[in-house]
Amino acid sequence: MPTMEPLAIGIALLVIIISSLVFACFCLRGRSKGRVVCLLGLSNSGKTLLFMRLVSGGFARTQTSMKENKANYSITTKKGSTTEIDLVDVPGDERIRQRVFQQYIEALLGVVILIDSVNFQSRDVAHLLIDLLSEPRVNRKRIPIIIACNKQDLALASSAEDIRTKLENEITQILTSQSVKLSSLDQSKERKKVELLRNDEQTFSFEDSPNNITITSCSARGTGDESSCTPEIEDVTSWLNTLQ
Amino acid sequence: MLDLFTIFTKGGIVLWYFQGTALSLTPAVNSLVKTVLLQERGGMDVFNHESLKLQFKLDNEFELIFVVVYQKILQLAYLDKLMEQVQLAFRDKYKNRLTNSTPLNPSMYSEFGDVFKNILFSLEEADRQSRQKPREMKHWNGTKKKENVTKPFNGKPQEEEEEEIGEEINGIEDVQEETGGREEGENGIDATSSLSSSSGSLPNSDKIRKIIASKTKKSSSTKTTSKKTVKPSNGKPKTKEARQWMVGGSKGDTKALDYSGGAPPTTNGVNHDEEKDLSLKGSMIGQLQPVDQDTPKESGGGGVFSLFKSITAGRVITAESIGPVMEKMKEHLITKNVAIEIADKLCSSVTGKLDGKTIGTFSGIQSVVKSSVEEALVQILSPKVRIDVLQDALKAKEAGRPFVVTFCGVNGVGKSTNLAKICFWLLENGLRVLIAACDTFRSGAVEQLKTHTCRLSSLHPPEREGGPPRVLLFERGYGKDAASICMEAVNFARQQRYDVVLVDTAGRMQDNEPLMVSLAKLIRVNSPDLVLFVGEALVGNEAVDQLVKFNRALIDFADSSDQNPRSIDGIVLTKFDTIDDKVGAAISMTYTTGQPIVFVGTGQTYQDLRTLNVQAVVAALLK
């Protein structure tokens, strides 16, 4: 019937428009997912403050996070072009950290690990690093990692070099006690983890890792009182700029 | 008056604060977040931290937390009002800023100080005035006394009252008939007046009693007839048949199962079932497997629908709207053997978390509640501290001291059995273990451990012929002081270079004070590296009581000079294979103590030791 034709065409057009809209939305979502830099670390190591420093530049008091903070951050590459990345501040509480981090792991571009250099809990940090490095995606994609030893403005902070050796020892120790597990209980349903001990002496060192790991010191708070303090986080910002 | 009033986002950024002291109060607020909000204890809204009191309020719509901190000794009556008014004012003032939230910049909120000061000032003023005013006399209507006095008159249910009145009237009518006949001749007297006068008199009340008696007779006669109908229909005398149980075995089996006649196990552990045992060897090397239970597949909830969800405008959840769903969820949790108290607290915490939240049109309230309860359960069960026994033991070994683990719990929960399993696991991983028999009370306790030691040492013989055994029992017989035996055992282990000391204690009820004191003494004197509470998964409401009292006993009976008394470090959940999907005890126990479940016992053999699989337990709970 000729009278039906315009209606049919209209419906067809509508369907096409809707489906293309949906498709476009998917594409957009997919693209925005691609670039995430996570701020990881134990509770009270200064992640949220660093996040604030990077995003807004100002100082803010912080409390223990219950949720992640997320914001856009633009990086400038060497050539001078700018790109937008997502900066995610993952809460340090162990119970939430894993859950939140798993949400972003597929879109990971780089990881900033913050360490409280004053109350340095080597064992917990080592566990965190092992969890991160043995994550298949992190290992396969060779996600770059920067370990920033925060709170250098305080007098009792240990140096980045100290922390590096302590961490390497701790990780070696944990891995040797866990290495038994990897050889014997493979049938378990646990997610596959990556073998981390590679070199001949069976010790862990950051240089041997396939991920490009940088260790640096920083101070997200900086010296001075709350209104006038300026952060010392140049290492972190310049590292962020090296990510493409 | 107030030490601190702070407003921060759930992401942890302080938007605005008012501080009354120079002290840093951040740690107090942090501990509030960590111990109350992150552990689903949000049901209460006051929290004590040292000498401070913290009161908080959640705003779920804008994901804000309002916290006020003040000295414990202060009685501030206007705090509830203050919180409410500040919340409203803050929301009104910054509604637009909060909705397009990132980046949150605290400097944008600095002008809120004046608003806050106004609110605080007006409230303080009102408070002061109300205190200065002489106390008003209470009105009779408002008092409790009135309620009590009027209750007997109004308290009876309506129906009962009517029935009584009806009966009275019946009686009166009867009387009327009688008296009426008499009065006809007398003529002059008003019928009603005689009625009213006679109804109270004795002969008539006799009548009423008669009527009642006849009524009850009637009803009892119907009862007897109804009884008669339930006659035994079968005339034959019924004989009982021996029931055959599914896995009962037959009479002949008793002989095979009777071990009493056999030779007692020798110290070498040469036994007839040794060969069977040997197959166990090597099966438990390394970390423990998680409890095997089906974890459900993640449903792909994303995609098109989540897209629509973000487009469509949402509804706002209120405490009333999710009330019925929450009630149902609570009942469901209780049927899964979660202690009632815990289910209650958990649900009210989740309600507090959801109140004011916006949900998409496409997601039902039920699913929202379910997912947030699930999240809460996962958060409760995930350990907040890592307990890695193997690694700790290795570390202690390096330091040249034995790693001491104490097991405690009520009677018959499987302390010794699971101690043996853990011992087997440690042996498999190359550690040398000393078992200290500190149960000096129950007969057979030492023999039980002796048998286990024999079997274990036959599985793991000494490294070289005639060398020191890899597992040894340290015992001093019965009736001795457990604490001193434990101490001797630890010293012995240090001399003989044993890596781990497993201390088995006598089972005790949590209410038995003398025994709890002795347990506290054992722990105080020896300060073990790990205190494990052994609890069975079968336990219901009792779980909370047990754990709370064990914990309190350890703290109360510790040295008064000790600033940080020991408490339970971890939980061993036993008999997990017997409970099917009623896994609520796991929640009750971890919620009560906040300590992780380190081991799960799942059967009778040495291999049946697992770690907790959080996802599986949560899935079983919500099934």
Side-chain angles (χ1 to χ4, degrees), chain B residues 25 32 74 108 135 157-158 212 235 245 272 282 288 322 326 355 366 377 432 455-456 473 515 525-526 546 560 607 610:
Chain B
L25 296 165
L32 165 84
L74 291 181
M108 300 197 300
R135 254 193 166 189
Q158 198 78 23
I212 293 168
W245 293 98
H272 62 285
L288 295 170
I322 56 168
M326 227 58 224
D355 194 5
Q366 205 132 20
L377 290 175
R432 299 180 63 224
R455 289 185 66 183
L456 287 168
L473 179 70
L515 287 179
V525 171
N526 296 294
Q546 280 178 14
S560 53
Q607 291 165 295
R610 300 273 186 276

Side-chain angles (χ1 to χ4, degrees), chain A residues 63 65-67 95 123, chain B residues 10-12 63 287 379 392:
Chain A
Q63 303 289 352
S65 304
M66 296 164 68
K67 272 193 67 185
R95 299 170 171 201
R123 187 159 156 206
Chain B
K10 285 195 179 169
E63 314 225 292
Q287 297 286 342
Q379 229 167 75
D392 287 336

